[in-house]
């Protein structure tokens, strides 16, 4: 499906209550909703507890030095956080928009091979606070940490805040 500027992509239907998203179907939808995703080398995603993990290929993200391009890596940390928040909302039965409010990265080592990117709440009470804010105000924020590893080497660490916008009334 060709995307048009200014036209929102149709939302993915919520999973059945008590079931998580089919991450393969979510990834396919993500590639349609955000065309850049199809070019980032994302080869799979899965959950490990409350951590969303992506497996990525280095080849589409190379810089002129033959290592990971910082711009691609920064985009990926922002995107995995957006996915984490969106998928968490979907498990709560909520179709609300998520936007990145603040993001920063620390590049610690060059990325020299295929890698994994992990995303989880910055602190243990983050999801409970977000849930409470959504119940009382219909909107909220959550701070997430993203870590990128090549093998056992931590190459990049990022922190991002994501805002969950108030739900819009159906047309």
């Amino acid at each position: 499906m060709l995307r048009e500027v200014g036209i929102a992509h149709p939302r993915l239907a919520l999973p059945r209550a008590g079931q998580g998203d089919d991450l393969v179907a979510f990834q396919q939808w993500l590639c349609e909703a955000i065309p850049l995703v199809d070019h980032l080398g994302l080869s799979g995603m899965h959950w490990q507890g409350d951590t969303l993990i992506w497996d990525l290929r280095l080849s589409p993200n190379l810089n002129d030095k033959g290592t990971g391009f910082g711009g691609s890596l920064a985009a990926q940390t922002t995107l995995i956080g957006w996915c984490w928040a969106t998928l968490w909302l979907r498990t709560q039965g909520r179709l609300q928009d998520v936007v990145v409010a603040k993001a920063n990265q620390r590049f610690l080592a060059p990325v020299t091979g295929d890698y994994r990117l992990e995303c989880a709440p910055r602190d243990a009470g983050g999801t409970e606070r977000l849930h409470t804010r959504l119940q009382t105000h219909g909107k909220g924020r959550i701070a997430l940490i993203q870590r990128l590893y090549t093998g056992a080497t931590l190459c990049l660490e990022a922190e991002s805040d994501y805002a969950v916008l108030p739900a819009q009334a159906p047309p």
Side-chain angles (χ1 to χ4, degrees), residues 9-13 24-34 82 86 90:
H9 190 72
R11 292 184 186 267
L12 185 63
V24 172
F26 180 81
Q27 184 176 338
Q28 180 180 5
W29 172 85
L30 188 63
C31 288
E32 295 168 1
I34 304 173
W82 181 89
T86 298
R90 291 170 58 76

Side-chain angles (χ1 to χ4, degrees), residues 24-163:
V24 172
F26 180 81
Q27 184 176 338
Q28 180 180 5
W29 172 85
L30 188 63
C31 288
E32 295 168 1
I34 304 173
L36 175 66
V37 174
D38 210 21
H39 305 282
L40 293 177
L42 178 59
S43 59
M45 65 174 81
H46 65 277
W47 288 100
Q48 186 173 341
D50 66 351
T51 301
L52 180 61
I53 300 172
W54 283 4
D55 297 310
L56 294 123
R57 296 182 314 280
L58 177 59
S59 58
N61 299 291
L62 288 171
N63 64 17
D64 58 319
K65 296 159 204 63
T67 60
F69 173 57
S72 289
L73 306 177
Q76 291 166 0
T77 62
T78 302
L79 184 60
I80 194 173
W82 181 89
C83 288
W84 189 100
T86 298
L87 288 164
W88 182 86
L89 285 167
R90 291 170 58 76
T91 65
Q92 306 298 306
R94 301 181 82 101
L95 284 176
Q96 286 179 252
D97 287 327
V98 174
V99 295
V100 62
K102 179 174 73 171
N104 62 60
Q105 302 86 26
R106 288 185 322 133
F107 295 87
L108 305 168
V111 177
T112 57
D114 292 346
Y115 52 99
R116 79 180 178 284
L117 185 55
E118 301 178 358
C119 181
R122 184 178 64 203
D123 57 77
T127 54
E128 291 81 12
R129 282 192 302 281
L130 177 57
H131 179 74
T132 299
R133 279 293 282 177
L134 290 170
Q135 295 297 97
T136 59
H137 295 91
K139 62 182 181 175
R141 287 174 82 110
I142 188 162
L144 299 172
I145 298 284
Q146 300 88 17
R147 292 184 176 101
L148 186 153
Y149 295 90
T150 300
T153 302
L154 177 61
C155 299
L156 169 77
E157 188 168 59
E159 279 193 48
S160 305
D161 288 348
Y162 293 84

Side-chain angles (χ1 to χ4, degrees), residues 10-21:
R11 292 184 186 267
L12 185 63
L14 285 172
R16 290 186 182 163
Q19 294 182 351
D21 272 288

